[in-house]
């Protein structure tokens, strides 16, 4: 039996459906269908058969789901590939930075600055602990660090973790270099502080000594220009002591003071030697003059026809004892006459009343 079904157009949903909402004949025609205007109901055209509702096939649903899943998976694959590629690129960049940090550490350890710091001993610094700290830092920096290649599987859940190892290696290199550089600076600073303190102390002591010498040498130098040079060196040294920040300049000033002090001392000695020589010469001259003035002979020689056996004449003394002669010379003994080597005792000869003697006291040898 043919069934006439009434379909109506629902403008709200833009769909056609049965007026009664049932697949069979409606029990009653809806009021809105009976009172519908043109276009609200479309009974089956004659001979066209009943109009069936549109149905969604199951295979279409499955196909749609598969397509959606495929699209999602493809999107996830692309996203994961991009993650892995970005992680590898970041890892390679960090590896380059870690390598550069290691190179900087190596250059510092092998630098001339490091060699200079290593040569410093504990007695050359104010704080000996800085020397020990440098040795410890160098020992720690001597350890090896591993830098792996940046590889990761595409399906890794956390590909960004491959950057952790080179990042940690870079941090360790930088930390070690910072520790070594800090230790080097500490040693150098401590050495420079002690050098400055020693230079200051030495320059101050030499300045005080030079000032005393400058005062004491006034009028005692052979060349006063040496004292002028010493005074200038003292003034320069005092300026450096007031500044108190240049150990090298202080050491140079100490050397200049040594040179100027030596020149003044030499000049003082030269004048002293000259004065002593002049005094000695004056004393010798005075002694000679005094000796010459104090010598006064007590006899007056006279001559007669008689001669000595050596062709000379015997002097006659007006007072005192007559000397005895040997050959052509004479020797006297205070207070009495003596006979030497068998010569004639003139006093005895006179006392014996020698007829050859003159009234003046001269007795020629017969």
């Amino acid at each position: 039996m043919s069934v006439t079904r009434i379909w109506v157009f629902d403008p709200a949903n833009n769909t056609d459906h049965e007026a009664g909402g049932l697949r069979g004949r409606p029990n009653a025609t809806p009021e809105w269908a009976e009172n519908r205007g043109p276009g609200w109901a479309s009974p089956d055209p004659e001979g066209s058969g009943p109009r069936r509702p549109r149905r969604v096939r199951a295979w279409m649903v499955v196909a749609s789901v598969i397509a959606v899943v495929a699209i999602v998976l493809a999107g996830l694959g692309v996203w994961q590939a991009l993650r892995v590629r970005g992680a590898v690129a970041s890892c390679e960049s960090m590896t380059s930075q870690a390598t550069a940090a290691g190179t900087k550490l190596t250059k510092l350890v092998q630098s001339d600055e490091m060699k200079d710091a290593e040569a410093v001993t504990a007695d050359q610094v104010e704080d000996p602990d800085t020397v020990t700290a440098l040795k410890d830092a160098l020992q720690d920096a001597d350890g090896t660090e591993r830098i792996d290649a940046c590889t990761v599987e595409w399906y890794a859940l956390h590909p960004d973790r491959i950057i952790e190892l080179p990042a940690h290696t870079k941090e360790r290199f930088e930390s070690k270099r910072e520790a070594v550089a800090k230790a080097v600076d500490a040693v150098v600073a401590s050495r420079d502080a002690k050098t400055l303190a020693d230079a200051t102390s030495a320059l101050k002591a030499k300045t005080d000594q030079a000032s005393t010498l400058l005062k004491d040498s006034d009028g005692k130098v052979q060349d006063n220009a040496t004292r002028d040079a010493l005074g200038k060196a003292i003034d320069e040294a005092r300026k450096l002591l007031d500044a108190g920040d240049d150990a090298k300049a202080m050491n140079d000033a100490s050397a200049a003071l040594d040179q100027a002090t030596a020149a003044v001392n030499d000049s003082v000695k030269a004048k002293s030697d000259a004065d002593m020589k002049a005094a000695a010469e004056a004393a010798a001259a005075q002694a000679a003059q005094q000796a010459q003035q104090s010598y006064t002979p007590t006899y007056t020689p006279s001559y007669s026809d008689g001669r000595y056996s050596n062709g000379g004449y015997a002097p006659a003394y007006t007072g005192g004892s007559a000397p005895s002669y040997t050959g052509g010379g004479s020797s006297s003994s205070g207070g009495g006459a003596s006979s030497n080597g068998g010569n004639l005792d003139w006093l005895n000869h006179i006392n014996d009343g020698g007829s050859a003697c003159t009234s003046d006291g001269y007795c020629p040898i017969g």
Side-chain angles (χ1 to χ4, degrees):
M1 159 179 84
S2 64
V3 178
T4 302
R5 306 177 68 182
I6 299 175
W7 296 82
V8 295
F9 176 75
D10 183 0
N13 297 318
N14 196 27
T15 58
D16 294 338
H17 57 81
E18 291 181 325
L22 301 175
R23 289 188 177 276
R25 180 188 293 274
N27 294 329
T29 302
E31 182 179 356
W32 58 267
E34 292 179 341
N35 299 325
R36 67 182 181 278
W40 281 87
S42 57
D44 294 342
E46 186 177 352
S48 61
R51 185 177 180 182
R52 297 184 180 277
R54 299 173 182 174
R55 296 181 180 179
V56 178
R57 304 286 183 178
W59 65 268
M60 296 177 64
V61 175
V62 173
S64 298
V65 171
I66 292 174
V68 171
V69 171
I71 294 174
V72 171
L73 292 177
L76 289 175
V78 173
W79 174 71
Q80 179 68 358
L82 293 176
R83 286 183 64 203
V84 170
R85 181 180 298 177
V88 171
S90 298
C91 177
E92 291 175 348
S93 175
M94 185 58 64
T95 299
S96 298
Q97 296 179 36
T99 303
T103 302
K104 290 182 179 179
L105 174 60
T106 302
K107 288 183 177 180
L108 176 60
V109 172
Q110 297 176 352
S111 65
D112 293 337
E113 182 183 7
M114 176 59 65
K115 294 177 181 178
D116 183 46
E118 282 187 288
V120 177
T121 58
D123 60 338
Q124 295 176 324
V125 295
E126 281 190 335
D127 184 6
D129 291 340
T130 57
V131 177
T132 303
L134 176 59
K135 292 180 180 179
D136 294 340
L138 286 175
Q139 185 176 0
D140 181 59
D142 193 37
T144 58
E145 296 289 345
R146 188 183 70 180
I147 302 179
D148 294 331
C150 296
T151 57
V152 62
E153 300 295 340
W154 74 270
Y155 52 81
L157 296 178
H158 303 286
D160 293 335
R161 289 183 179 176
I162 63 172
I163 200 176
E164 293 178 357
L165 183 58
H168 291 164
T169 302
K170 173 178 174 289
E171 292 175 358
R172 286 192 294 271
F173 277 139
E174 292 177 343
S175 177
K176 291 179 179 181
R177 184 182 185 281
E178 182 179 358
V180 172
K182 184 177 180 181
V184 170
D185 292 341
V187 169
V188 173
S190 186
R191 179 197 62 187
D192 292 345
K194 188 175 187 303
T195 301
L196 180 60
D198 293 344
T200 301
S201 178
L203 182 59
K204 187 177 184 304
K206 291 182 179 181
T207 301
D208 294 341
Q209 294 173 0
S211 298
T212 301
L213 176 62
L214 183 64
K215 180 180 179 181
D216 295 342
S217 63
D218 187 14
K220 299 179 181 179
V221 293
Q222 192 176 41
D223 182 7
N224 201 59
T226 58
R227 294 184 70 253
D228 295 338
L230 180 60
K232 292 180 181 179
I234 292 173
D235 292 339
E236 183 65 24
R238 286 174 176 168
K239 291 179 182 179
L240 292 173
L241 288 173
D242 291 338
D245 58 356
D246 193 339
K248 184 180 182 304
M250 289 184 182
N251 290 331
D252 293 341
S254 293
L257 277 176
D258 289 339
Q259 184 176 0
T261 298
V264 171
N265 286 330
D266 291 343
S267 185
V268 169
K269 185 177 183 304
K271 187 176 187 305
S272 177
D273 292 344
D275 292 345
M276 290 178 63
K277 182 179 180 181
E281 291 176 351
Q286 183 178 4
Q289 184 179 5
Q290 291 177 352
Q292 184 178 5
Q293 292 176 354
S294 64
Y295 176 73
T296 303
T298 58
Y299 63 91
T300 301
S302 60
Y303 300 93
S304 65
D305 294 336
R307 295 178 179 274
Y308 293 106
S309 59
N310 59 357
Y313 296 88
Y317 288 85
T318 59
S321 302
S324 61
Y325 292 86
T326 301
S330 66
S331 63
S332 64
S333 59
S338 63
S339 175
N340 294 321
N343 290 328
L344 179 64
D345 189 338
W346 295 104
L347 182 59
N348 292 334
H349 184 69
I350 293 173
N351 292 334
D352 290 341
S355 59
C357 294
T358 65
S359 61
D360 293 333
Y362 284 90
C363 302
I365 298 175

